[in-house]
Amino acid sequence: MSAWDAGRPILTAGETRAAEQALFDGGMSVEALMARAGAALAELVWRHAGPVDTLIVCGPGNNGGDGYVAAALLRRLGMTVRVAALAAPRTDAARHARDGWGGAVEAFAESAPATVLVDALFGTGLTRGLDTAVATKLAALAAAATVTIAVDLPSGIATDDGAVLTEGLPRFDLTLALGALKPAHRLRPAADHVGRVVVGEIGIPTDATGLRELARPRLSAPTAADHKYSRGMVAVAGGAMPGAALLAATAAQRAGAGYVALSNGAGGGPMALVHRPLEALIDDKRVGALAIGPGLGRDSAARDILAVALGSARPLLVDADALVLLGQPGLKRLGALEAMAILTPHEGEFAKLFPGIASDRLSRARAGAARSGAVLLLKGSDSIVAHPDGRAVIAPAAPAWLASAGTGDVLAGTIAAMRARGLDAFDAACAGLWLHGEAARIAGPALIADDLAAALPRALEQCL
Ligand SMILES: NC(=O)C1=CN([C@@H]2O[C@H](COP(=O)(O)OP(=O)(O)OC[C@H]3O[C@@H](n4cnc5c(N)ncnc54)[C@H](O)[C@@H]3O)[C@@H](O)[C@H]2O)[C@H](O)CC1
Ligand SMILES: [K+]
């Protein structure tokens, strides 16, 4: 199974509508689908909040409809549940759901708080931020509640690009993603508001999506037939700053590569690290990944080293300074390489390499991959891996302790080890990203990049 198949599907608002439409075309009614969504919501509220007083706030669309259905089911379970509406239902299905509730409907603006707040104001149909009075009231109800649950999405975030359109939007404890995850559940800043996300399976088809969540890679342990080269040989092209290249090389070793060689190193590092000139490495067909960028520097020597790497036939991982030096001519050469390259820019490096791509992070990562013909990993607290064919993977938020010097070098070395063990460029970037995030969780607070490399074997263990 590739990294692609393993991850949970993520659907945009348009893809969700199309997937629902496929069910309707097959003879299902909107009401029947809403009944499933409402049942999933009622079960979630019952399981996570228990029989305490609950307020469900409903909007005019089908998100509100889900709320009415759940209210009726929870009342049947004996729960004390109240419903408040922002406006009367505007869809047939939502009207049908409100009729099924049949109980009192309070005015949203005047509704009193409850222990559990369920936000069914707006979901994928949100077209703009909440009006100030609505946002203020929602925030007050959330602040007074003990448990806050959002239906599909917290009302006030954009489904597809992760933007928060509403000031003062509460951070919910739980979000029930209906049918599938949406980009906003994983892209920041929206993802900061969703809390724990539970996917409610309502039977919509999800296989047509081009976007998935990063999943734990499945990696095999070496067998008796393996030797150091078959486990993966990594070359790291060092430069002016030996520490960063050493970190990348050490990470490649700790991520399971059987043989790691560093060029232009200043010596030092693990005794098992081999020091060899770049010229000797680029013609060595056993080298399954050549990482360039960490510690490369930006001087003329760095340019020469990059030119040598670009002229080699080894699968490349281009990071840090090498991304900055690459420029447009380098980018063109990358796309023509036989082995697909991997680029690992952070936002600043991305902006230099791809001037004029101003959009949300997901679209930027996809456009960068398409333009370069390489797999592009856009680093950040919500890292994205994009393939030139349009597929993309979003990583769940990584520990913020990763924001420290050298952690990017460790990521580069980890991905290089995955590439050298035989994974394709996309799977290698995904696997390395997962291991890196897990190593950060293992290393814990105040980690330094060295700790991260040291924690990689324990992260790797979870993938065997
Ligand atoms: N489509 C289905 O069959 C099912 C959908 N499910 C749930 O429905 C929502 C999406 O429903 P939809 O009716 O398309 O949109 P919303 O309920 O999110 O709201 C649309 C409604 O609100 C108006 N509107 C939009 N933004 C604002 C705003 N800022 N202020 C005021 N009004 C606004 C807009 O004009 C429309 O009238 C999905 O998330 C699921 O929860 C079910 O899961 C299954 C069936
Ligand atoms: K909602």
Side-chain angles (χ1 to χ4, degrees), residues 17-180:
R17 272 191 291 275
E20 287 167 350
Q21 193 56 48
L23 290 184
F24 303 150
D25 293 346
M28 189 174 200
S29 67
V30 182
E31 285 77 10
L33 189 59
M34 190 175 279
R36 286 185 189 171
L41 174 60
E43 191 187 336
L44 183 93
V45 174
W46 180 256
R47 276 201 190 174
H48 290 268
V52 288
D53 64 305
T54 295
L55 172 68
I56 304 184
V57 294
C58 298
N62 287 339
N63 196 252
D66 298 344
Y68 290 113
V69 173
L73 291 171
L74 290 169
R75 183 182 51 193
R76 237 183 274 160
L77 289 172
M79 264 180 76
T80 308
V81 56
R82 291 182 291 121
V83 171
L86 182 60
R90 269 187 225 149
T91 70
D92 289 342
R95 262 189 291 275
H96 180 261
R98 188 203 45 194
D99 294 347
W101 156 248
V105 178
E106 304 169 12
F108 173 74
E110 271 109 56
S111 57
T115 307
V116 178
L117 172 70
V118 178
D119 161 23
L121 290 179
F122 303 101
T124 53
L126 187 89
T127 49
R128 57 189 163 84
L130 301 186
D131 296 340
T132 309
V134 177
T136 308
K137 178 70 184 179
L138 181 64
L141 290 173
T146 306
V147 180
T148 53
I149 300 175
V151 184
D152 213 8
L153 298 155
S155 302
I157 62 178
T159 310
D160 293 347
D161 66 8
V164 174
L165 305 175
T166 301
E167 230 175 277
L169 185 72
R171 288 174 183 242
F172 285 81
D173 297 312
L174 265 173
T175 295
L176 176 68
L178 287 164

Side-chain angles (χ1 to χ4, degrees), residues 58-434:
C58 298
N62 287 339
N63 196 252
D66 298 344
Y68 290 113
V69 173
L73 291 171
L74 290 169
R75 183 182 51 193
R76 237 183 274 160
L77 289 172
M79 264 180 76
T80 308
V81 56
R82 291 182 291 121
V83 171
L86 182 60
R90 269 187 225 149
T91 70
D92 289 342
R95 262 189 291 275
H96 180 261
R98 188 203 45 194
D99 294 347
W101 156 248
V105 178
E106 304 169 12
F108 173 74
E110 271 109 56
S111 57
T115 307
V116 178
L117 172 70
V118 178
D119 161 23
L121 290 179
F122 303 101
T124 53
L126 187 89
T127 49
R128 57 189 163 84
L130 301 186
D131 296 340
T132 309
V134 177
T136 308
K137 178 70 184 179
L138 181 64
L141 290 173
T146 306
V147 180
T148 53
I149 300 175
V151 184
D152 213 8
L153 298 155
S155 302
I157 62 178
T159 310
D160 293 347
D161 66 8
V164 174
L165 305 175
T166 301
E167 230 175 277
L169 185 72
R171 288 174 183 242
F172 285 81
D173 297 312
L174 265 173
T175 295
L176 176 68
L178 287 164
L181 293 170
K182 316 293 174 326
H185 294 125
R186 288 294 169 247
L187 290 175
R188 299 191 60 244
D192 296 338
H193 294 265
V194 299
R196 207 179 127 211
V197 180
V198 175
V199 177
E201 297 295 347
I202 56 170
I204 67 167
T206 57
D207 24 300
T209 180
L211 187 63
R212 287 179 185 266
E213 185 181 40
L214 182 69
R216 176 173 51 176
R218 294 269 154 232
L219 302 169
S220 53
T223 67
D226 273 306
H227 50 78
K228 63 189 173 195
Y229 296 117
S230 68
R231 286 184 51 197
M233 180 173 177
V234 171
V236 177
M241 291 164 292
L246 199 52
L247 265 176
T250 310
Q253 291 180 296
R254 294 297 183 196
Y259 188 118
V260 180
L262 173 63
S263 64
N264 296 315
M271 301 289 269
L273 184 62
V274 180
H275 292 268
R276 273 174 73 185
L278 184 60
E279 287 68 21
L281 289 167
I282 55 160
D283 290 326
D284 189 333
K285 289 197 170 61
R286 295 170 302 189
V287 171
L290 170 57
I292 181 160
L296 183 65
R298 300 183 189 179
D299 53 12
S300 66
R303 286 180 190 281
D304 294 344
I305 294 168
L306 179 60
V308 169
L310 283 174
S312 89
R314 310 278 77 81
L316 291 181
L317 179 137
V318 186
D319 184 40
D321 291 333
L323 290 165
V324 177
L325 293 181
L326 202 56
Q328 299 314 303
L331 212 48
K332 264 207 186 104
R333 286 186 71 180
L334 267 192
L337 292 175
E338 202 178 303
M340 190 174 281
I342 304 169
L343 309 179
T344 51
H346 56 56
E347 279 289 349
E349 289 155 352
F350 184 93
K352 285 200 184 89
L353 195 54
F354 301 104
I357 302 183
S359 180
D360 61 276
R361 276 171 58 76
L362 178 57
S363 306
R364 276 207 298 284
R366 280 177 155 154
R371 204 183 273 187
S372 62
V375 164
L376 191 137
L377 193 165
L378 184 55
K379 292 188 283 201
S381 53
D382 49 357
S383 292
I384 295 162
V385 182
H387 191 283
D389 70 10
R391 285 176 296 154
V393 158
I394 310 176
W401 292 106
L402 274 173
S404 75
T407 56
D409 306 321
V410 170
L411 177 64
T414 308
I415 295 172
M418 294 299 110
R419 185 78 164 116
R421 86 195 316 270
L423 300 187
D424 69 25
F426 188 72
D427 279 356
C430 291
L433 183 58
W434 190 92

Side-chain angles (χ1 to χ4, degrees), residues 402 410 434-444 447 451-453 455-456 459:
L402 274 173
V410 170
W434 190 92
L435 288 168
H436 190 252
E438 189 56 26
R441 269 177 279 280
I442 292 167
L447 62 83
D451 304 333
L452 208 53
L456 278 168

